[in-house]
């Protein structure tokens, strides 16, 4: 499973209150996207294009269980890679079907605007401008299946816990 | 090779003889728990489509973050929560009136118990580890799956052992132990944390709850205390009839073993806007003015915390210009505080005693701070803007430091006030 896209670069210790501020709790899904990183990088959310990738430093997602990974996905990001994650946030990525790799040593290899390729099966992050490759963790088959299903929602639909949406609703 | 406590609990719930760090296993959990924020945030209404729960008897739903509802959206979330429980036959529902912050509810109501595997929709769920169980936080998607199936995947993490010796000196509490550890050793990302050694016996159960809750802030996967006589006595008093205590094997393998002499501690404080590697002795910041002091939360909203505060402020007044908010961790603690006269003592000193709620700890409900303000709190998190205005500051401390500072209006090492003989 691969994701290729333009890189947005963030530093260390991007916490869940930056990704999903408390004001987002009472906001619409669209407004939640606009509020994402609005304290540390105002205006960023509006610049994200579908398929872009996020590259970040250490301890990405420290903090609460709030659905920050869902907002990153809804913004249009195709996936992310970080030096390390808060374990709960990483679970949230898998749970919402948002491709995420941990790859120590990653941030020195990228500048903002580079094109990158995430290979979740091989656990590699490649800078397509420089050719530099960072070896990270390989996603287990089970986790890859969850991401490919679109997260836990897809798994629950496949298993019959959540009925499939009626065709009429999608037309 | 032996196993740590977390490895043993995961193995037992995966039906495996052993689990090693790095293993990904599927476990049947004993309890899946969610709170009001699961129901009142737009765009995460996955639960509404759920047709069937395999084990509603293993699900717990409670309202704690925004109670009583401050907005109609929060009120709507509570409506959805009640309807969800009714639809699926969830009898373990804790409503306003007997409410508690989730992590206190787990301990008070007996869900958290030795050997249990507990899944909660809140990052500080690891607080339940004070009860010798393996508890961790999950996001809304995972919790929905847990509610439906009663199981989920875990990746076992390597474990750091904190080996405690000695007993805490006056002025120091469990919170100070955590802030010291977090200040010296930094984060524990990718690791579980376990506690052991003779010093554990000298920590009260609420002190252990405080430490375990805070381990979310160093990115710990689990935070687990052993089962000792003190916990056994607590469980008996709670009415537990049986227990499945878990102890680490003597040859359990740890990523690191760190010795902490409790008797050498001093009161500690976390500076804004993060905790790992950012904590110092309170004395180093003494004299820094504060606008608001908060005592409460899953970390420090229990009777012994309120007793410490009441003991310090009795017969005195909160400093002019300072708001002192006291938020018990549960309605039961609130009632006990009323009966013990603690609410009266605190209110006479000028403190505002609120109902039990996560409240201002997450910046969502009551007691927020304005532009440029500084809050000293016993709550769990000090991210930038956490409690209100984006340019406000939160510093974190134990209950003794909080109460002492409420009296002076500046960050105060509590030992300077308790030397005269007042008990802390």
């Amino acid at each position: 499973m691969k994701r290729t896209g333009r890189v947005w670069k963030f530093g260390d210790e991007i916490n869940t209150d930056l990704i999903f501020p408390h004001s987002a709790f009472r906001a619409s899904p669209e407004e939640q996207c606009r509020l994402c990183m609005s304290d540390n990088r105002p205006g960023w959310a509006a610049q994200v294009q579908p398929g872009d990738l996020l590259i970040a430093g250490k301890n990405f997602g420290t903090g609460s269980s709030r659905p920050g990974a869902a907002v990153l996905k809804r913004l249009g990001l195709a996936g992310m890679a970080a030096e390390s994650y808060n374990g709960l946030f990483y679970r949230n990525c898998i749970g919402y079907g948002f491709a995420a790799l941990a790859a120590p040593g990653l941030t020195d290899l990228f500048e903002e605007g580079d094109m990158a390729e995430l290979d979740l099966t091989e656990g590699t992050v490649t800078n397509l401008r420089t050719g530099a490759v960072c070896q990270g963790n390989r996603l287990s088959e089970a986790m890859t299946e969850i991401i490919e299903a679109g997260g836990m929602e897809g798994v629950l639909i496949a298993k019959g816990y959540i009925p499939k949406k009626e065709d009429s609703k999608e037309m | 090779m032996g196993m740590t406590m977390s490895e043993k609990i995961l193995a037992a719930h995966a039906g495996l003889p052993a689990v090693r760090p790095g293993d990904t296993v599927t476990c049947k959990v004993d309890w899946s728990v969610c709170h009001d924020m699961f129901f009142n945030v737009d765009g995460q209404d996955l639960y509404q489509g759920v047709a069937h729960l395999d084990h509603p008897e293993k699900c717990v739903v409670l309202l704690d973050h925004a109670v009583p509802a401050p907005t109609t959206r929060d009120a709507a979330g509570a409506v959805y929560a009640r309807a969800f429980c009714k639809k699926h036959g969830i009898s373990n529902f804790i409503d306003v009136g007997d409410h508690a912050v989730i992590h206190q509810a787990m301990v008070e109501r007996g869900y958290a118990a030795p050997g249990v595997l507990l899944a909660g929709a809140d990052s500080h769920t690891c607080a339940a580890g004070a009860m010798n169980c393996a508890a961790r936080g999950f996001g809304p998607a995972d919790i929905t799956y847990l509610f439906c199936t009663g199981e989920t995947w875990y990746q076992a993490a390597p474990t750091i052992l904190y080996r405690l010796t000695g007993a805490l000196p006056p002025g120091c509490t469990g919170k100070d132990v955590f802030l010291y550890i977090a200040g010296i050793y930094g984060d524990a990302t990718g690791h579980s944390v376990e506690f052991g050694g003779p010093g554990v016996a000298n920590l009260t159960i609420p002190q252990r709850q405080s430490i375990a809750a805070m381990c979310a802030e160093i990115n710990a996967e689990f935070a687990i205390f052993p089962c000792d006589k003190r916990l056994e006595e607590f469980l008996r008093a709670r009415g537990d009839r049986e227990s499945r205590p878990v102890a680490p094997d003597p040859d359990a393998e740890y990523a690191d073993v760190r010795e902490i002499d409790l008797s050498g501690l001093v009161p500690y404080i976390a500076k804004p806007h993060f905790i790992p590697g950012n904590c110092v002795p309170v004395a180093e910041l003494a004299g820094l003015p504060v606008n608001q002091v908060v005592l409460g939360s899953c970390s420090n909203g229990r009777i012994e915390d309120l007793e410490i505060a009441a003991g310090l402020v009795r017969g005195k007044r909160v400093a002019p210009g300072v708001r002192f908010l006291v938020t018990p961790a549960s309605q039961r603690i609130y009632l006990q505080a009323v009966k013990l006269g603690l609410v009266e003592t605190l209110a006479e000193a000028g403190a505002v005693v609120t109902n039990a709620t996560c409240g201002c700890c997450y910046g969502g409900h009551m007691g927020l701070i304005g532009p440029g303000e500084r809050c000293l709190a016993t709550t769990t998190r000090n991210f930038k803007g956490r409690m209100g205005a984006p340019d406000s500051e939160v510093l974190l401390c134990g209950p003794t430091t909080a109460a002492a500072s409420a009296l002076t209006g500046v960050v105060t090492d509590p030992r300077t006030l308790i030397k005269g003989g007042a008990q802390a």
Side-chain angles (χ1 to χ4, degrees):
Chain A
M1 188 171 28
K2 292 181 182 175
R3 300 276 193 278
T4 304
R6 183 178 58 136
V7 167
W8 293 101
K9 195 172 168 185
F10 283 75
D12 295 337
E13 311 291 344
I14 300 296
N15 65 52
T16 51
D17 288 39
L18 296 173
I19 303 165
F20 196 103
H22 52 73
S23 49
F25 277 123
R26 293 169 182 133
S28 68
E30 297 73 28
E31 184 65 13
Q32 288 168 14
C33 288
R34 277 194 291 277
L35 290 166
C36 182
M37 311 280 193
S38 57
D39 283 340
N40 54 325
R41 206 164 162 179
W44 170 74
Q47 299 173 56
V48 175
Q49 298 295 316
D52 287 354
L53 298 173
L54 195 152
I55 299 254
K58 287 188 299 180
N59 290 331
F60 193 89
T62 291
S64 87
S65 63
R66 57 189 73 178
V71 168
L72 295 179
K73 188 179 177 186
R74 202 185 301 137
L75 267 174
L77 292 169
M80 71 169 293
E83 301 263 348
S84 63
Y85 295 88
N86 168 278
L88 170 50
F89 185 86
Y90 191 73
R91 287 199 67 116
N92 265 339
C93 292
I94 309 286
Y96 283 105
F98 182 59
L101 271 182
L106 166 86
T107 45
D108 288 346
L109 304 181
F110 286 91
E111 287 172 24
E112 187 152 295
D114 285 348
M115 290 298 288
E117 179 190 84
L118 306 187
D119 186 327
L120 288 109
T121 318
E122 293 303 318
T124 53
V125 188
T126 305
N127 187 327
L128 298 177
R129 176 178 63 86
T130 64
V133 180
C134 187
Q135 179 69 52
N137 68 321
R138 287 185 176 81
L139 232 58
S140 73
E141 205 171 309
M143 289 184 206
T144 309
E145 279 173 15
I146 295 171
I147 291 176
E148 280 178 340
M152 286 309 183
E153 179 173 14
V155 176
L156 286 168
I157 290 170
K159 291 189 173 185
Y161 288 95
I162 295 178
K164 277 184 188 153
K165 282 176 187 156
E166 291 165 31
D167 290 341
S168 59
K169 278 187 184 169
E170 291 174 352
M171 283 163 66
Chain B
M1 198 200 310
M3 288 190 283
T4 65
M5 292 186 277
S6 65
E7 287 159 10
K8 281 189 173 182
I9 295 172
L10 288 179
H13 289 78
L16 296 169
V19 166
R20 300 282 168 223
D23 290 354
T24 301
V25 296
T26 300
C27 293
K28 292 188 192 314
V29 306
D30 296 294
W31 298 108
S32 301
V33 191
C34 75
H35 53 63
D36 44 337
M37 304 310 283
F38 182 75
F39 297 97
N40 65 2
V41 179
D42 256 11
Q44 62 166 58
D45 51 0
L46 192 54
Y47 68 91
Q48 287 195 344
V50 169
H52 171 74
L53 307 184
D54 286 347
H55 296 288
E57 76 282 2
K58 290 185 176 183
C59 300
V60 183
V61 175
L62 53 82
L63 310 179
D64 66 350
H65 271 60
V67 290
T71 69
T72 46
R73 179 182 292 277
D74 295 304
V79 168
Y80 301 146
R82 293 183 190 105
F84 183 78
C85 289
K86 195 173 177 192
K87 175 182 173 187
H88 294 290
I90 296 172
S91 57
N92 293 297
F93 175 59
I94 301 172
D95 207 339
V96 179
D98 191 26
H99 57 289
V101 173
I102 172 171
H103 315 302
Q104 180 60 18
M106 295 301 99
V107 169
E108 253 179 28
R109 322 290 161 104
Y111 298 111
V116 157
L117 184 61
L118 191 151
D122 189 279
S123 58
H124 296 104
T125 301
C126 51
M131 299 283 107
N132 187 229
C133 67
R136 68 159 298 152
F138 292 86
D142 275 338
I143 282 291
T144 307
Y145 188 83
L146 276 153
F147 266 64
C148 288
T149 67
E151 61 180 40
T152 190
W153 61 271
Y154 288 86
Q155 187 166 42
T159 298
I160 296 167
L161 174 66
Y162 280 100
R163 197 172 170 282
L164 311 181
T165 57
L168 288 170
C172 287
T173 63
K175 187 64 153 280
D176 299 288
V177 177
F178 170 80
L179 294 174
Y180 171 78
I181 286 172
I184 299 294
Y185 294 101
D187 68 64
T189 304
H191 292 76
S192 287
V193 170
E194 297 188 4
F195 297 87
V200 170
N202 297 323
L203 293 174
T204 66
I205 299 301
Q207 285 172 342
R208 299 178 198 185
Q209 289 175 263
S210 176
I211 295 169
M214 293 304 295
C215 284
E217 303 311 311
I218 50 173
N219 293 329
E221 298 287 307
F222 293 114
I224 308 182
F225 277 85
C227 186
D228 63 355
K229 275 188 183 158
R230 204 161 192 165
L231 179 56
E232 285 169 3
E233 282 165 21
F234 176 90
L235 297 171
R236 262 196 301 279
R238 192 172 72 174
D240 289 22
R241 276 172 294 185
E242 55 177 0
S243 181
R244 293 178 288 161
V246 174
D249 289 323
D251 59 343
E253 196 171 325
Y254 298 101
D256 199 8
V257 178
R258 298 166 182 173
E259 305 270 346
I260 308 289
D261 177 9
L262 299 177
S263 65
L265 288 191
V266 299
Y268 253 69
I269 189 166
K271 298 185 283 184
H273 302 288
F274 59 98
I275 297 175
N278 196 34
C279 308
V280 295
V282 172
E284 284 188 24
L285 296 186
L288 191 68
V290 296
N291 304 100
Q292 178 169 295
V293 176
V294 175
L295 176 78
S297 88
C298 58
S299 176
N300 287 105
R302 282 166 281 272
I303 281 294
E304 69 176 42
D305 299 307
L306 273 56
E307 280 175 337
I308 286 171
L312 278 165
V313 306
R314 183 169 287 117
K316 299 177 182 155
R317 287 290 295 181
V318 169
V322 173
R323 288 115 44 200
F324 185 26
L325 309 186
V326 178
T327 302
S330 75
Q331 176 83 345
R332 293 179 188 182
I333 290 170
Y334 182 98
L335 182 57
Q336 198 183 348
V338 169
K339 288 179 176 172
L340 290 171
L342 301 176
V343 173
E344 184 179 355
T345 301
L346 290 163
E348 275 178 350
V352 177
V353 183
T354 79
N355 83 287
T357 173
C358 300
C360 63
C361 176
Y362 79 106
H365 178 33
M366 284 198 297
L368 307 195
I369 50 178
E373 287 201 308
R374 182 179 294 129
C375 181
L376 179 63
T378 68
T379 54
T380 58
R381 216 160 256 165
N382 62 346
F383 295 157
K384 195 165 187 295
R386 170 81 178 174
M387 274 192 183
D391 67 343
S392 58
E393 289 185 352
V394 180
L395 295 90
L396 300 175
C397 67
T400 328
T401 302
S405 304
L407 288 176
T408 59
V410 296
V411 170
T412 299
D413 185 331
R415 296 173 302 174
T416 60
L417 297 191
I418 59 181
K419 272 181 183 158
Q423 291 298 305

